[in-house]
Amino acid sequence: MVPASKNIVEGAVCAVIGLALRLFTEDVHIPVFTLTKVGMVLIAIGGIQLLYGVYQTFSARRVE
């Protein structure tokens, strides 16, 4: 798999998992951290990785 498409897929999966945690785990309480905050972090990381994959895709097209 090309690194750009790999980053896009991983970023999308990470963002979707983060969104699911954010939406469906409000009533779950864990002593150390809340799962909704973990979901927000995963959404942010997934979004950054997704944008980086898109950047890699377009920068590779410009070089060719």
Side-chain angles (χ1 to χ4, degrees), residues 20-30 33-36:
L21 283 174
R22 177 74 178 110
L23 292 176
F24 301 117
T25 61
E26 291 184 20
D27 296 334
V28 178
H29 298 287
I30 296 177
F33 48 82
T34 58
L35 292 177
T36 54

Side-chain angles (χ1 to χ4, degrees), residues 7-21 38-47 49-50:
N7 282 334
I8 291 171
V9 170
E10 286 179 0
V13 168
C14 190
V16 168
I17 291 171
L19 182 64
L21 283 174
V38 172
M40 289 302 297
V41 170
L42 283 175
I43 290 170
I45 291 171
Q49 194 169 11
L50 186 68

Side-chain angles (χ1 to χ4, degrees), residues 32-64:
V32 179
F33 48 82
T34 58
L35 292 177
T36 54
K37 290 181 184 176
V38 172
M40 289 302 297
V41 170
L42 283 175
I43 290 170
I45 291 171
I48 290 168
Q49 194 169 11
L50 186 68
L51 290 175
Y52 183 62
V54 170
Y55 169 75
Q56 283 179 327
T57 300
F58 286 117
S59 66
R61 286 185 185 169
R62 257 188 268 152
V63 172
E64 294 175 357

